[in-house]
Every structure is written in structure tokens, then in C-alpha cells.
Amino acid sequence: MKTSRAFFSEVERRFDAMPFTLRAFEDEKKARMGVMECAKHELLQPFNVLYEKEGEFVAQFKFTVLLMPNGPMRITSGIFENELYKSELDIKDPDLKALIQSSVSRRNQKRRKKKKVASQCGLPATTGSTNEENETGD
């Protein structure tokens, strides 16, 4: 019990809410005992390790997103050039293709919706400027 309290205190001090490995502790044996006790009392949640299937390839692309009131905003990303990566496999489901091609930006979705409604009504689509600017031609 004393070991698990000391372990939990060290985890809170050093890692807060981030994942950690038992190798980061001086005494790995005590850390293993402490993590089992903390998980048993639901003080810590296990972080399951994901494995790929035998013979399969996995690609990971990570980026940071801020959830802003006007929609998500990507602030970091690695360089990804789609043309450099070719696959012999293709997505066959049309609904899934449409979902992948769609934008996550709410602003773009609203613009597309306005253009679609305007084209159905026979009206010219606006560029997002104010009504006064549209009337003056600016």
C-alpha cells in the first residue's frame, strides 16, 4: 500500500495526465506493483498497445488541432505530399470516398451548402462578403 501511494504520487508529479512507461522509474519492480494496485482501484487507466496484423503496413500522420468556437484549426502538421505516396489498393465504397474528400472545416461546409442552395434556386452564389458590398459591387 505504501509503495502504491509513493508510485501514484510520483506519477502525478512527473507525468500528470500523460502516458508513461514503467522503465521511467528507478525501481521498475516497485513501479509494476504500484501500477497494478492503482489500476485495480481505478486511479490509473491502462493504455492499450495497438498491434498491426502480420504482413500489414501501418502509416501514422500526427498533427495538433485547436478546437475553436468557429471550428477546428490545424496548427501543426508534418509535410505530407500525397503524390509521393502511391498504393496499389483503392477505396471502393463511394460513401467512404466522399467522406474522405470532405473538409472538416465548418466554414467550407457552410459555403458549399450556400452555393448548393443558391444554384438550386437559380441565384448567384455570394463570396461570403456582406450584403452592402454585394450591392455596391465591391
Side-chain angles (χ1 to χ4, degrees), residues 63-124:
F63 55 90
T64 304
V65 175
L66 292 178
L67 299 176
M68 306 296 286
N70 58 349
M73 176 173 96
R74 182 187 239 177
I75 59 170
T76 63
S77 66
I79 299 172
F80 178 74
E81 296 179 24
N82 195 21
E83 299 80 33
L84 297 177
Y85 305 98
K86 299 294 180 190
S87 174
E88 63 273 1
L89 303 175
D90 192 23
I91 299 172
K92 300 195 181 355
D93 185 7
D95 294 334
L96 187 57
K97 275 187 180 181
L99 179 64
I100 290 172
Q101 295 298 324
S102 67
S103 174
V104 295
S105 171
R106 289 183 184 162
R107 186 180 306 150
N108 289 345
Q109 289 173 353
K110 286 180 182 177
R111 285 182 190 159
R112 286 189 189 126
K113 188 175 180 179
K114 282 182 184 179
K115 285 181 182 179
K116 185 177 179 181
V117 170
S119 66
Q120 289 175 350
C121 295
L123 300 172

Side-chain angles (χ1 to χ4, degrees), residues 38-54:
C38 290
K40 186 170 123 181
H41 293 288
E42 297 180 3
L43 295 172
L44 297 175
Q45 295 177 348
F47 188 78
N48 297 325
V49 178
L50 303 176
Y51 297 96
E52 63 271 1
K53 293 179 183 176
E54 185 71 30

